[in-house]
């Protein structure tokens, strides 16, 4: 596979974060938590994010995760650890919240 | 660093590691705001150490979510752009009868 911009081997956190923010907001900005719709929203967000990331044509493998939970005031804690190449790899996250739900989307990019 | 020749993701082995570490850290614990931060770091770090000790040529990402049980719905999903032949993921979800909801996931990408 040929990659354009092959000199750009470091994960660009800001570029990816903006891409994710745009996609999440377009799916969820006016949405109310609805159990039957959540899986569709998640599939849309995750698939569109991957499509846009692949279109950046950079030498990376990507993992995109999306967590949507009802906003009832209960506590949720998340954490991650990564064993990778600190010079090329990275991650970005975008947290969306409205009165009824919280959506946390993360993208991990690992240089090939 | 010495690597074994195996570059194929072994889901069962990884799932077992996630299950062991999560159960060891959280079995019989009820939600405790003061301790959650420590539990969640412990699960991630211990899992990563055990995975690295397998000696395989993989990069790992381990994520953990702990939720209080208060009736709220939670959905997680992930999608990956990688090499299907060698890369993989495993996810461990805590049993229904636990007082907390925990999901520990590992993504492994071949170098």
């Amino acid at each position: 596979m040929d990659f354009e911009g092959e000199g750009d081997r470091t994960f660009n956190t800001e570029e990816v974060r903006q891409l994710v923010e745009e996609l999440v907001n377009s799916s969820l900005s006016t949405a109310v938590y609805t159990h039957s719709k959540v899986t569709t929203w998640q599939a849309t967000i995750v698939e569109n994010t991957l499509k846009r990331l692949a279109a950046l044509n950079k030498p990376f493998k990507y993992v995109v995760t999306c967590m949507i939970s009802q906003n009832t005031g209960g506590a949720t804690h998340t954490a991650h650890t990564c064993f990778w190449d600190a010079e090329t790899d990275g991650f970005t996250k975008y947290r969306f919240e409205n009165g009824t739900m919280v959506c946390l989307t993360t993208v991990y990019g690992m240089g090939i | 660093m010495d690597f074994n020749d195996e570059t194929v993701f072994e889901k069962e082995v990884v799932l077992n590691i996630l299950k062991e570490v999560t159960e060891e850290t959280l079995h019989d614990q009820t939600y405790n705001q003061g301790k959650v931060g420590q539990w969640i770091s412990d699960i991630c770090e211990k899992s990563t150490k055990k995975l690295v000790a397998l000696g395989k040529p993989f990069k790992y990402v381990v994520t953990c979510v702990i939720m209080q049980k208060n009736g709220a719905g939670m959905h997680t999903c992930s999608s990956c752009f990688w090499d299907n032949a060698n890369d993989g993921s495993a996810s461990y979800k805590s049993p229904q009868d636990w007082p907390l909801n925990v999901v520990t996931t590992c993504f492994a990408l071949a170098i």
Side-chain angles (χ1 to χ4, degrees):
Chain A
M1 190 187 265
D2 280 336
F3 292 110
E4 291 172 19
E6 207 168 333
D8 201 349
R9 292 189 154 271
T10 307
F11 186 74
N12 188 334
T13 314
E14 199 39 47
E15 183 185 24
V16 175
R17 203 196 69 82
Q18 280 172 5
L19 189 161
V20 172
E21 184 173 347
E22 202 185 295
L23 288 169
V24 171
N25 285 345
S26 71
S27 286
L28 298 180
S29 55
T30 54
V32 170
Y33 183 90
T34 311
H35 178 75
S36 55
K37 290 188 183 170
V38 172
T39 40
T40 311
W41 291 331
Q42 283 182 316
T44 307
I45 288 169
V46 154
E47 282 170 24
N48 288 343
T49 304
L50 265 188
K51 272 185 197 151
R52 294 271 299 266
L53 288 168
L56 293 176
N57 232 352
K58 293 189 176 182
F60 281 98
K61 293 181 180 179
Y62 298 105
V63 174
V64 180
T65 70
C66 178
M67 186 184 92
I68 295 184
S69 51
Q70 231 172 340
N71 194 350
T72 57
T76 303
H77 291 254
T78 66
H80 68 236
T81 54
C82 310
F83 179 72
W84 59 23
D85 178 346
E87 286 181 20
T88 55
D89 308 337
F91 93 103
T92 192
K93 67 179 193 303
Y94 174 65
R95 183 171 182 264
F96 169 89
E97 186 175 345
N98 66 19
T100 60
M101 67 176 149
V102 177
C103 172
L104 180 66
T105 310
T106 59
V107 176
Y108 299 92
M110 275 140 288
I112 296 172
Chain B
M1 192 182 267
D2 283 336
F3 289 121
N4 293 342
D5 289 331
E6 288 286 341
T7 57
V8 177
F9 179 71
E10 282 181 359
K11 189 166 180 149
E12 275 312 310
V13 173
V14 173
L15 193 52
N16 224 33
I17 288 176
L18 299 179
K19 179 173 189 280
E20 253 174 47
V21 173
T22 307
E23 287 183 351
E24 188 190 307
T25 312
L26 292 180
H27 191 57
D28 284 344
Q29 300 280 4
T30 49
Y31 187 85
N32 179 328
Q33 181 157 343
K35 291 186 184 172
V36 165
Q38 188 58 48
W39 288 335
I40 207 167
S41 305
D42 282 350
I43 289 172
C44 284
E45 283 170 28
K46 284 180 185 167
S47 301
T48 309
K49 277 192 187 135
K50 287 192 171 185
L51 289 165
V52 170
L54 294 174
K56 294 192 174 189
F58 282 101
K59 294 181 179 178
Y60 297 104
V61 176
V62 177
T63 69
C64 180
V65 183
I66 297 184
M67 261 191 92
Q68 221 176 353
K69 256 190 174 158
N70 71 343
M74 183 182 83
H75 297 248
T76 68
C77 86
S78 66
S79 186
C80 309
F81 179 74
W82 60 21
D83 175 359
N84 267 338
N86 297 325
D87 304 333
S89 70
S91 184
Y92 170 71
K93 190 167 76 82
S94 57
Q96 281 291 85
D97 58 1
W98 275 25
L100 313 150
N101 288 321
V102 188
V103 180
T104 309
T105 310
C106 168
F107 301 95
L109 292 94
I111 295 173

